[in-house]
Amino acid sequence: MIAPEELRAIASWSRDLSEAEFEEARRGISFRSYGKNASICHVGDRLESWTGVAEGLVKMATTSKSGKTATLAGLRAGAWFGEGTVIKAEPRRYELVALRDSRIALMRRSTFLWLFEHSAAFNRFLVHQFNERLAQFISLAETERTLDSTGRLARNLAWLFNPILYPDLDRTLTVSQEELGMLAGISRQMANQGLAKLASLGLIELGHGSVTIIDLERLARYEA
DNA sequence: GCATTAACAGCCG
DNA sequence: CGGCTGTTAATGC
């Protein structure tokens, strides 16, 4: 069972629930921790729970038949995912890796389905989330071929600041260049150069182990 | 060629 | 001190 303050802190959807729904959600959530580079689940796993990131940074990725792996989304604290798998009761279609020590919240399937059945607010959240993820995947399909490493870096960085997925708007994120490299599928050195380029264009500002977003719109649209 | 790994000095917390 | 950054050199596809 999760403390009320913590649930509100890591789950924006919980703030719109009725008191009864909120309590039901609390009772259905437990935690699990993963070390850096640990696999949270593989393709085909029957991870039965709806999943949230309480602390840390997680990469959601697929591997094509040719062996190339593409990041579907970087997930930071406050992100929730896996509803498709829970609703359809099918195995996961993607792989989840902790990019740093992370604490993961797991909501029992029965609790998720109860909220799905009873709470309009919960369903509203799910629809908005589906919309944003769909937009991300479309952008991935569109630009997969054309973006260079700096472009992929810009896109993955912009995803981490999606205002619908992460409504607690903070323009600065604590993230190392190595972690951003792992998200974009490039080396730390390339991430370093790409970030320097994005900073020189005035899209972001670099700190020591952190990035501040200056112009999210242009960052999301960055090409070549 | 371009990106990756390896290596290292410098700096920040 | 430990981790992150910025840069260069060597290596690989």
Side-chain angles (χ1 to χ4, degrees), chain A residues 150-170:
Chain A
T150 304
R152 294 205 305 282
L153 185 67
R155 187 187 57 195
N156 278 287
L157 194 50
W159 284 350
L160 289 178
F161 288 89
N162 182 313
I164 306 291
L165 265 24
Y166 305 103
D168 313 292
L169 219 33
D170 186 351

Side-chain angles (χ1 to χ4, degrees), chain A residues 2-218:
Chain A
I2 178 175
E5 322 78 61
E6 185 172 24
L7 181 54
R8 271 188 285 273
I10 67 168
S12 64
W13 50 265
S14 72
R15 297 168 209 154
D16 296 323
L17 301 181
S18 71
E19 202 173 318
E21 292 163 355
F22 187 86
E23 287 306 312
E24 188 65 28
R26 277 186 63 204
R27 282 192 290 275
I29 293 176
S30 56
F31 289 102
R32 221 169 142 184
S33 292
Y34 294 85
K36 182 174 179 176
N37 291 324
S39 170
I40 297 167
C41 88
H42 296 99
V43 173
D45 276 5
R46 293 204 169 267
L47 183 53
E48 294 251 300
S49 305
W50 194 42
T51 313
V53 179
E55 298 167 33
L57 187 66
V58 172
K59 178 173 78 167
M60 178 190 288
T62 55
T63 305
S64 65
K65 286 166 193 167
S66 56
K68 283 181 188 172
T69 162
T71 299
L72 297 175
L75 304 163
R76 58 160 158 150
W80 287 79
F81 53 94
E83 56 278 347
T85 299
V86 172
I87 291 171
K88 291 186 287 185
E90 58 173 33
R92 299 261 170 161
R93 311 205 124 138
Y94 45 80
E95 151 184 40
L96 292 168
V97 182
L99 296 184
R100 70 172 83 131
D101 289 354
S102 298
R103 198 150 134 275
I104 303 301
L106 300 167
M107 179 191 279
R108 283 201 312 259
R109 178 159 193 270
S110 57
T111 303
F112 178 92
L113 293 175
W114 186 89
L115 287 168
F116 189 45
E117 195 68 29
H118 290 83
S119 170
F122 190 68
N123 281 279
R124 195 153 42 239
F125 167 82
L126 287 178
V127 170
H128 286 311
Q129 166 143 315
F130 274 134
N131 246 338
E132 290 310 309
R133 292 264 181 252
L134 183 58
Q136 281 188 2
F137 297 160
I138 287 172
S139 131
L140 183 69
E142 281 175 347
T143 59
E144 185 184 20
R145 309 249 166 192
T146 62
L147 284 189
D148 66 359
S149 60
T150 304
R152 294 205 305 282
L153 185 67
R155 187 187 57 195
N156 278 287
L157 194 50
W159 284 350
L160 289 178
F161 288 89
N162 182 313
I164 306 291
L165 265 24
Y166 305 103
D168 313 292
L169 219 33
D170 186 351
R171 289 164 49 247
T172 303
L173 175 66
T174 298
V175 62
S176 73
Q177 300 185 350
E178 182 183 15
E179 290 166 337
L180 289 171
M182 289 191 283
L183 280 178
I186 58 180
S187 64
R188 179 179 73 77
Q189 290 86 337
M190 281 283 102
N192 176 276
Q193 294 308 300
L195 286 167
K197 190 171 180 180
L198 296 174
S200 76
L201 291 169
L203 307 183
I204 59 175
E205 219 166 80
L206 296 175
H208 204 80
S210 71
V211 176
T212 302
I213 295 315
I214 304 299
D215 190 336
L216 183 58
E217 281 293 306
R218 282 206 294 147

